[in-house]
Amino acid sequence: MLDGILQGLGTALLPVNLMMVVLGCFIGTFIGMLPGLGPVTAIALMIPITYGLDPSSGIILMAGVYYGAIFGGSTSSILINAPGCSATVVTAFDGYPLACKGQAGKALAIAAYASFTGGTLSAIMLMVAAPLLAKVSLSFQSADYFALMVLGLSAVAAFAGKGQVLKALIMALFGIMISTIGIDRSVGVDRFTFGLPDLRDGFSFLLLAMATFALAEILMAVLRPGKDNSEEEARQMQQLGSLKLSKEEVREIAPPIARSSVLGFLIGVLPGAGATIAAFMAYGAERNIAGKQRQEQFGQGSLRGLAAPEAANNAASTGSFVPLLTLGIPGSGTTALILGALVAYGIQPGPRLFMEHPDVFWSVIISMYLGNVVLLILNLPLIPYLAKVLAVPRPVLIPMVLLFSLTGVYLVSFNTMDIHVMTLVALIAIGLRLLTFPMAPMLLGFILGGMLEDNLRRALVINDGSLSFLWERPITLAFTVITLVMLLLPLWQWWQARRAPAATLLSEPS
């Protein structure tokens, strides 16, 4: 472990990788502040750039963009009540009221300190937890990997929003179906190509990512034009105020930040949970812990209500790298994109990653320490200037992102057919989003589909076509049981919700 840390430190401190950390943090902060884009779009835009980089440099850049976008999303949440991404929705609950009170500077400072602390503590926990999980994972076989892939897909559905479980499952299965298009890697037979030569190689991961997130987001923005808040934004930007915190305020927010960092990291480790759930759970936990007087402040400009979700969402973004690097299971939609980039590099995330590619494994972890320091140094002095990015006119912003999306996909294959397919997929994605179907499960299903199929095929060959491998090994059985529990949990919650009103009616006197 010590040798790996030293090797990762040497790789992370290379000038080119230090530049990638700074560049990733800056780009992530910039894109994260733009309402509606968020880390998924930021990572999707970075994928074409990273193809020409060394694997370590490319993943360090995307990791910096990831937590930089989470960090930057809080700025628009606080200043104009327009979250830059879903993970910073909770930040607006108390951040925006503080800005309305003329304390926007203090709110941005608290967000910066909480994000720095949450990211740093989670990076320490990542360093400790990742090798331990990797040691346990060394005994994995094809059957275990298959059960693990199914667990990852079921976790996406289980952690879906209220009333979205079935839709998330449908989208995950849809993603698996898309992954089967093309030539079968085992027998060399065309599958679902409809006689079109351009489909024999299947769908490009970059194409799907750009179409479902970047391009679809821009088209959605055109379909739903926002009202002009330029005067309101200008007024709030002029009232940033002081960035300093008193000793009493530091003592008030320190315990929530510490608790939320641990909670956020643990939630981020869960496949499919992500930073959004971590932020909501941390906010709810702190509100329940607080006394009655402090509870009344939540939603009105509570410092605790601002600090807790900011620490949690940044800790969760780092925690999501645990299942990604050690098990090959993305912990969020954004790390699903990073997983696709690793596979494109020819690197298979999993238990052997830190032995076969220790430079990539440890340099990413070490870079997270550096990235959190860079974010703090970068954002605190530049808060008044970065806030002006929010005033970029939509007629300028939309063509820029559209150019990046189309150009990025074309430069990968130099095939105009990909542009047509990308446009078609984006239109389908818009239709699904209007019907409130989540996109992240589809992308996770697409990424995990190939590995799911390969490991299932190997397990069936080893067991002579029998499905007994699902319960013969303890690890496989454990994952199978957990998967069933996670699939049945939403049904149990629905049944309990149906029982509660009936029990209330029966208990009332006639």
Side-chain angles (χ1 to χ4, degrees):
M1 178 176 173
L2 181 60
D3 292 339
I5 292 175
L6 293 176
Q7 184 176 357
L9 186 63
T11 304
L13 292 178
L14 291 174
V16 62
N17 290 336
L18 289 175
M19 185 180 70
M20 290 299 111
V21 171
V22 177
L23 184 63
C25 291
F26 181 79
I27 294 175
T29 303
F30 181 90
I31 296 179
M33 286 190 304
L34 302 175
L37 295 184
V40 176
T41 302
I43 293 292
L45 292 174
M46 289 298 103
I47 290 177
I49 299 175
T50 59
Y51 281 160
L53 299 175
D54 179 81
S56 297
S57 302
I59 303 304
I60 286 174
L61 173 63
M62 285 191 284
V65 170
Y66 182 18
Y67 47 78
I70 298 291
F71 192 105
S74 62
T75 302
S76 55
S77 295
I78 292 171
L79 291 179
I80 61 172
N81 200 27
C85 60
S86 60
T88 58
V89 170
V90 189
T91 305
F93 292 174
D94 287 284
Y96 184 66
L98 283 172
C100 293
K101 295 177 182 178
Q103 298 180 359
K106 182 174 293 185
L108 291 169
I110 291 174
Y113 296 137
S115 299
F116 170 77
T117 306
T120 302
L121 291 178
S122 60
I124 295 173
M125 290 184 281
L126 174 61
M127 180 175 290
V128 175
L132 295 177
L133 283 174
K135 287 183 179 180
V136 174
S137 305
L138 284 176
S139 60
F140 276 27
Q141 295 182 5
S142 297
D144 306 323
Y145 272 113
F146 169 75
L148 191 61
M149 301 299 169
V150 176
L151 174 60
L153 291 172
S154 65
V156 171
F159 286 107
K162 186 177 180 180
Q164 298 290 311
V165 176
L166 183 59
K167 289 183 177 180
L169 272 174
I170 292 173
M171 294 304 292
L173 293 174
F174 184 45
I176 295 176
M177 292 169 61
I178 296 176
S179 70
T180 63
I181 297 175
I183 299 177
D184 189 315
R185 288 178 289 183
S186 299
V187 295
V189 177
D190 286 5
R191 298 188 300 185
F192 311 113
T193 59
F194 305 102
L196 298 175
D198 289 313
L199 294 181
R200 298 192 69 191
D201 291 331
F203 283 98
S204 164
F205 166 77
L206 176 63
L207 185 151
L208 281 180
M210 288 289 196
T212 56
F213 289 100
L215 185 57
E217 194 69 52
I218 289 302
L219 294 178
M220 288 288 290
V222 174
L223 292 175
R224 296 176 177 174
K227 59 182 179 180
D228 187 9
N229 291 324
S230 57
E231 295 183 2
E232 181 69 13
E233 291 175 15
R235 182 186 67 80
Q236 293 176 6
M237 290 176 192
Q238 293 173 359
Q239 298 179 1
L240 286 174
S242 174
L243 304 180
K244 295 181 179 180
L245 300 177
S246 65
K247 293 182 179 180
E248 291 76 13
E249 291 169 339
V250 172
R251 283 196 292 266
E252 180 182 354
I253 65 174
I257 288 176
R259 289 190 294 262
S260 300
S261 297
V262 177
L263 177 63
F265 177 79
L266 296 176
I267 294 175
V269 170
L270 299 174
T276 305
I277 295 175
F280 274 98
M281 292 189 66
Y283 186 86
E286 286 303 321
R287 189 179 186 280
N288 293 332
I289 293 173
K292 184 176 180 181
Q293 184 177 359
R294 293 189 184 276
Q295 281 185 355
E296 296 175 353
Q297 297 175 1
F298 278 71
Q300 306 297 322
S302 169
L303 300 186
R304 292 189 174 202
L306 172 61
E310 275 301 294
N313 60 28
N314 280 269
S317 65
T318 303
S320 63
F321 279 84
V322 172
L324 172 68
L325 296 177
T326 61
L327 303 176
I329 299 292
S332 64
T334 310
T335 51
L337 296 173
I338 299 178
L339 172 61
L342 282 169
V343 173
Y345 277 124
I347 298 175
Q348 181 59 57
R352 297 188 176 275
L353 176 62
F354 85 110
M355 293 186 298
E356 296 176 352
H357 301 280
D359 55 329
V360 176
F361 184 87
W362 290 108
S363 63
V364 171
I365 296 177
I366 297 297
S367 72
M368 291 180 181
Y369 291 97
L370 305 175
N372 282 287
V373 175
V374 169
L375 281 171
L376 191 65
I377 297 175
L378 185 67
N379 282 272
L380 282 178
L382 297 179
I383 282 175
Y385 307 102
L386 290 172
K388 295 181 180 179
V389 174
L390 300 172
V392 173
R394 289 166 58 87
V396 176
L397 175 63
I398 291 176
M400 287 176 59
V401 179
L402 188 63
L403 175 65
F404 274 112
S405 303
L406 297 177
T407 305
V409 170
Y410 180 74
L411 290 178
V412 171
S413 62
F414 293 97
N415 186 355
T416 55
M417 179 66 178
D418 286 353
I419 303 298
H420 300 305
V421 174
M422 179 182 177
T423 306
L424 177 62
V425 172
L427 294 175
I428 295 173
I430 289 175
L432 291 171
R433 291 178 63 172
L434 292 175
L435 295 173
T436 67
F437 280 86
M439 290 293 105
M442 184 200 71
L443 200 58
L444 289 172
F446 174 78
I447 293 173
L448 296 179
M451 293 183 282
L452 189 77
E453 181 184 5
D454 292 341
N455 286 291
L456 174 61
R457 183 170 288 166
R458 294 192 197 103
L460 289 173
V461 169
I462 294 173
N463 289 270
D464 297 324
S466 173
L467 291 175
S468 60
F469 67 86
L470 290 174
W471 55 80
E472 286 181 344
R473 287 175 49 81
I475 297 178
T476 310
L477 178 61
F479 285 139
T480 304
V481 171
I482 295 173
T483 299
L484 292 175
V485 170
M486 299 192 75
L487 289 174
L488 295 175
L489 182 61
L491 294 176
W492 170 261
Q493 293 173 340
W494 171 80
W495 184 66
Q496 288 290 94
R498 289 285 300 268
R499 277 189 61 189
T504 304
L505 290 175
L506 290 175
S507 63
E508 291 179 355
S510 56

